Amino acid sequence: MIASKPFEAPDEKLPGGLKDLDYDQYRSIRFLPERALWRGKNLPFEAQFFHRGFFYKNRVNIFEVAGGKAIEIKYRKADFSFGEKVPAFEEVDLGFAGFRIHAPMNRPDYYDEVCVFLGASYFRAVAKGQTYGLSARGLSIDTGEAKGEEFPLFKAFWLERPAPAATSMVIHALLDSKSCAASYRFTVRPGETTVFDVEMSVYPRVEMQRAGLAPMTSMFLYGPNDRNDIDDFRPSVHDSDGLAIFNGKGESLWRPLSNPRDLQISTFQDLNPRGFGLMQRERNFFAYQDIESSFEKRPSLWMEPIGDWGEGGVVLFEIPTKEEVHDNIAAFWRPKNPLHAKGEHNYTYRLHWGPDSPKPHSLARFTRSGIGARGEDARLFVLDVVGDNLKGIDPAGVKGVVTAEKSEVKNIVTQPNPYTGGWRLSFQCQVKGEPIELRAFLTEGDKPLSEVWVYRWAP
C-alpha cells in the first residue's frame, strides 16, 4: 500500500519550452473537443484533459476503466492546440494536469462542462444554468497553522466508461501527501443540482491532529455587511455570501461572511453534524451589477455527511484580501480526535452543487445582512428574512430575539418587508473597538420562525 511507503514528491519535469509558461501562454493551450474521450460513442458523458504547465506542473496519470480493465490514457500533443507564443517542445510522455467532464445538462444536443479536477486536490462543479465559482478539495491538512499548510495532491484518476443510458459517472482518485495517502470514489450526477457522492478512505503516515474533511474554498471581497474602504461600482463581489450549518441538535445557523482586517477563525463545535456549506443566497443581478462575472449564477455548495461523524467542529477561515482573484474563505469539518497513523479512516458524504442547499425544515432564512454606522460608537444591523412560513402571519405575534456578547442591544424592530415578501429585523448595537459575537432569530411565542443568524462584528 502506498501509505506504508515514504512519500514521493510529484513529477514536475517538463520539456524546456513548457517550464516557464506565463498565464497567457498557458491559457492559449486548448484541448481539442473533437478528441474528447468517448466523443462519437453515443455516451452521456465525455472527458477532456488539461495540459501541464504554469501553476500546473505536477504530472497526473489518468486511466479509463472499461470491461473490468484500466488502460492509461496517453498524452498526445496532437490532442491540443497551442497559441503562437507557446515555445516549441519535443513530444514526450507528459501525462496531464487534470481533466473536466462534459454532459448534456442544459440542452440535449450540447455537452456542457459539469466539473473539473485541476490543481492539488481541488475540484469544482456547476448545476444547470450556472457558472463556476467556489471549489472543493479532497482534504486539508494543517490549514491556518504557523508551520504552514500541507497541500495533498491527486496523483491519479480512473474514469469509468459510462453505460449508454447512465445518469451518473464514477471517478476514482488517489491522493498523496507527506502526512497521508487517501482513496476516493466520486459518483457524479449532473442536473438542476449536481450531486457528488463521495466515498473516502484516509491512511495516515503520521498522526494527523489538524485534518480538514470535506473542505471548500471561496471568495468574499465585500457585500452589504462589509463595505469598508470600497471604491467600486458594484454593490457586492463574492462567490459565496454565508456559511450555513445544520448541526446535530437540529439547529440551523447562518453566518454571513466577511473580509476582515485581520485573520478570523471561527469554530462551531458539534456532535454528528447534519450538514454545512458555503452558500450564494443572493441571486439577483442587481445586487452585483457585473455582467461579465455573473456572481448571481455561482453555485452554492452543501456537504451532507452520510452516517455519524462524531465530535468535532465546522471551522471557518476568513482571510483579509484586497483582490477578488484570491480565494480568502475556507470551511471544513475538523474531527475532535486525531487521525491515527497506520490506521484506516473512512468517511462518506454528499456534495450538492446548485442554487441552494436541501431544505431540512420550513424555517425562514436570512437572505441579506446590511450593516452601517448609527451615530458615534454604534452600528445598525438590518437583516432580511424570507420564508413561506412568514406569509400571512400576524405581525403582532412576531418577535426578534437578539443577543450580543460584550455589548448592549437597542431598538429591536421587526416588520414585514413588502419588497421581498418576507420580514425585516433591525437593531442597534454599541461598539467599543473590539469584536462582538451576535445572535438573532425570529419567533412567534415560543415557536422559532427562522434559522439563527450568528455574526462576529469586528472593527
Side-chain angles (χ1 to χ4, degrees):
M1 180 183 292
I2 188 171
S4 64
K5 302 176 182 178
F7 171 70
E8 294 184 9
D11 178 6
E12 294 186 353
K13 296 178 184 177
L14 288 172
L18 297 175
K19 285 182 179 179
D20 300 307
L21 296 181
D22 62 26
Y23 175 79
D24 290 331
Q25 289 174 314
Y26 183 73
R27 288 278 293 176
S28 70
I29 303 176
R30 301 294 179 90
F31 187 86
L32 300 174
E34 61 270 22
R35 303 294 182 91
L37 182 66
W38 307 317
R39 172 62 64 96
K41 297 186 181 296
N42 198 29
L43 296 177
F45 295 89
E46 294 180 353
Q48 299 184 19
F49 305 100
F50 289 100
H51 207 282
R52 293 171 62 196
F54 189 50
F55 287 152
Y56 310 107
K57 295 180 180 179
N58 298 333
R59 179 191 176 108
V60 175
N61 296 318
I62 304 177
F63 301 81
E64 179 192 12
V65 179
K69 295 182 179 181
I71 299 175
E72 185 173 2
I73 300 168
K74 295 294 186 179
Y75 167 85
R76 294 181 302 182
K77 192 174 180 180
D79 290 343
F80 296 85
S81 66
F82 298 84
E84 296 178 357
K85 296 182 179 180
V86 177
F89 63 94
E90 183 178 348
E91 180 164 359
V92 293
D93 180 16
L94 285 176
F96 302 99
F99 66 95
R100 56 191 180 191
I101 299 299
H102 294 244
M105 186 164 54
N106 291 297
R107 62 183 215 224
D109 60 339
Y110 182 80
Y111 281 69
D112 304 283
E113 192 169 335
V114 174
C115 63
V116 56
F117 288 76
L118 178 65
S121 68
Y122 287 90
F123 57 99
R124 299 193 293 174
V126 292
K128 184 177 181 179
Q130 293 191 320
T131 61
Y132 281 124
L134 79 171
S135 301
R137 296 166 63 187
L139 187 69
S140 72
I141 303 173
D142 292 335
T143 302
E145 292 298 291
K147 64 181 180 181
E149 181 171 0
E150 180 179 327
F151 286 91
L153 309 167
F154 282 135
K155 296 180 69 173
F157 292 93
W158 292 261
L159 313 181
E160 290 193 14
R161 182 188 295 178
T167 58
S168 65
M169 180 185 165
V170 175
I171 301 167
H172 303 267
L174 171 64
L175 177 143
D176 201 12
S177 75
K178 291 181 179 179
S179 296
C180 72
S183 63
Y184 294 77
R185 186 180 193 270
F186 301 94
T187 302
V188 181
R189 300 194 301 273
E192 299 287 343
T193 294
T194 292
V195 177
F196 282 38
D197 287 335
V198 185
E199 300 167 62
M200 166 189 178
S201 297
V202 184
Y203 304 92
R205 291 186 170 94
V206 298
E207 185 170 279
M208 299 173 64
Q209 297 279 354
R210 299 283 180 175
L213 306 181
M216 50 190 78
T217 62
S218 191
M219 179 276 293
F220 182 95
L221 189 62
Y222 63 89
N225 62 309
D226 189 355
R227 283 190 57 90
N228 293 332
D229 304 323
I230 296 298
D231 186 8
D232 196 303
F233 76 94
R234 299 168 296 179
S236 300
V237 172
H238 50 73
D239 285 340
S240 306
D241 53 12
L243 169 68
I245 300 173
F246 186 32
N247 65 26
K249 298 178 182 178
E251 183 180 48
S252 288
L253 306 178
W254 174 247
R255 165 66 182 272
L257 298 176
S258 64
N259 180 2
R261 294 182 184 273
D262 301 299
L263 171 67
Q264 288 195 158
I265 304 173
S266 305
T267 301
F268 301 86
Q269 301 291 347
D270 201 1
L271 172 65
N272 296 327
R274 303 185 189 184
F276 69 89
L278 294 174
M279 302 288 108
Q280 183 78 320
R281 286 189 176 175
E282 181 54 78
R283 293 292 171 187
N284 190 331
F285 163 80
F286 296 102
Y288 305 100
Q289 294 283 355
D290 192 324
I291 295 174
E292 285 76 27
S293 295
S294 299
F295 291 111
E296 71 280 2
K297 295 181 181 179
R298 305 291 172 100
S300 294
L301 176 55
W302 179 258
M303 192 286 293
E304 174 191 357
I306 307 300
D308 292 339
W309 279 22
E311 290 186 80
V314 177
V315 182
L316 172 67
F317 281 81
E318 295 168 297
I319 304 166
T321 185
K322 294 183 178 180
E323 298 180 287
E324 62 195 85
V325 296
H326 301 301
D327 280 353
N328 64 318
I329 303 296
F332 51 81
W333 173 259
R334 177 171 285 164
K336 178 182 178 180
N337 297 320
L339 305 187
H340 295 296
K342 304 186 186 306
E344 178 178 319
H345 305 269
N346 299 310
Y347 301 92
T348 302
Y349 58 96
R350 185 167 290 136
L351 296 174
H352 303 258
W353 308 79
D356 202 353
S357 61
K359 292 182 170 63
H361 46 59
S362 60
L363 293 178
R365 291 179 167 185
F366 290 91
T367 57
R368 183 180 186 275
S369 300
I371 303 174
R374 180 62 77 189
E376 187 176 353
D377 294 333
R379 286 291 183 272
L380 174 66
F381 294 78
V382 180
L383 316 179
D384 284 323
V385 194
V386 173
D388 290 339
N389 64 326
L390 299 179
K391 295 177 181 178
I393 198 168
D394 182 3
V398 179
K399 179 184 178 182
V401 179
V402 183
T403 57
E405 291 185 1
K406 304 177 184 178
S407 182
E408 180 184 2
V409 177
K410 296 181 178 180
N411 301 331
I412 300 174
V413 177
T414 57
Q415 58 185 318
N417 185 336
Y419 299 99
T420 64
W423 278 68
R424 174 164 285 186
L425 167 62
S426 64
F427 59 92
Q428 295 179 28
C429 193
Q430 296 301 117
V431 296
K432 298 179 181 180
E434 60 181 346
I436 300 169
E437 299 288 346
L438 297 153
R439 183 180 176 95
F441 58 96
L442 293 181
T443 66
E444 183 183 33
D446 295 331
K447 181 179 71 173
L449 294 174
S450 74
E451 64 187 359
V452 179
W453 179 91
V454 291
Y455 193 70
R456 177 184 295 162
W457 181 88

